[in-house]
């Protein structure tokens, strides 16, 4: 079964790029500079940022559904990121190297199934979850830190 993985659209974040630290702090956002790789996964381009790059650490509503599963958590976005990751049947390296939590939701935001898998082994989990016609989409989170990683849909 074909699947599409997408990162976050850059537009909601672009107005934050370049703001002074005090203004970011007033919005609950922290600027970080990458000091190791991997370790700072950008949720727009879906890749680990390079040492020295500037990242914004902020709270993001990853599950906006009006359901008991509405959720938000901290994520990183790379300052200056302009192109959201969007690929069919390709798992980005940022996911491959991490332990992942996959959560399958119905279109109305109800959790139908969840599983944990190493990034190198997620295709069978994706296939199994998407085989259920009630599944509308899958959210992927980094299992250890719990941060939202990306969205998976049928193609």
């Amino acid at each position: 079964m074909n699947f599409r993985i997408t990162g976050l659209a850059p537009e909601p974040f672009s107005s934050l790029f370049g703001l002074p630290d005090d203004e970011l702090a007033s919005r609950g956002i922290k600027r970080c500079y990458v000091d190791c790789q991997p370790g700072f996964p950008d949720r727009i381009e879906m890749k680990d940022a390079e040492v020295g790059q500037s990242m914004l650490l902020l709270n993001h509503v990853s599950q906006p559904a009006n359901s008991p599963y509405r959720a938000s958590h901290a994520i990183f976005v790379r300052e200056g990121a302009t192109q959201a990751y969007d690929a069919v049947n390709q798992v980005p390296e940022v996911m491959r190297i991490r332990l992942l939590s996959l959560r399958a939701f119905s279109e109305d935001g109800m959790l139908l199934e969840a599983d944990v898998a190493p990034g190198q082994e997620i295709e069978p989990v994706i296939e199994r979850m998407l085989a259920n016609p009630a599944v509308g989409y899958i959210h992927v989170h980094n299992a250890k830190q719990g941060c939202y990683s990306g969205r998976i849909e049928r193609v």
Side-chain angles (χ1 to χ4, degrees), residues 73-96:
H73 202 281
I75 62 166
F76 286 110
V77 293
R78 186 182 66 77
E79 281 197 273
T82 60
Q83 186 66 43
Y85 181 88
D86 186 348
V88 174
N89 297 333
Q90 295 178 27
V91 178
E93 184 67 13
V94 73
M95 287 183 176
R96 285 275 185 223

Side-chain angles (χ1 to χ4, degrees), residues 1 3 100-104 113-132 135 138-140 152:
M1 176 174 301
F3 61 90
L100 303 172
S101 168
L102 291 90
R103 302 167 189 172
E113 185 180 353
D115 206 344
V116 177
Q120 310 91 311
E121 302 171 14
I122 68 167
E123 285 91 345
V125 179
I126 293 168
E127 228 175 275
R128 184 184 79 238
M129 288 178 167
L130 292 180
N132 178 348
V135 170
I138 300 168
H139 279 182
V140 181
I152 302 173

Side-chain angles (χ1 to χ4, degrees), residues 16-19 21 24 29-36 39-58 75-81 94 98:
L16 303 171
F17 299 163
L19 288 179
D21 288 348
L24 290 173
I29 301 169
K30 180 174 176 51
R31 177 175 284 116
C32 305
Y33 292 93
V34 177
D35 60 2
C36 64
F40 293 79
D42 172 48
R43 298 307 192 255
I44 296 171
E45 297 172 336
M46 295 192 67
K47 60 184 178 183
D48 278 290
E50 306 276 331
V51 172
Q53 288 184 316
S54 174
M55 304 290 286
L56 298 180
L57 178 62
L58 54 96
I75 62 166
F76 286 110
V77 293
R78 186 182 66 77
E79 281 197 273
V94 73
R98 289 176 167 86

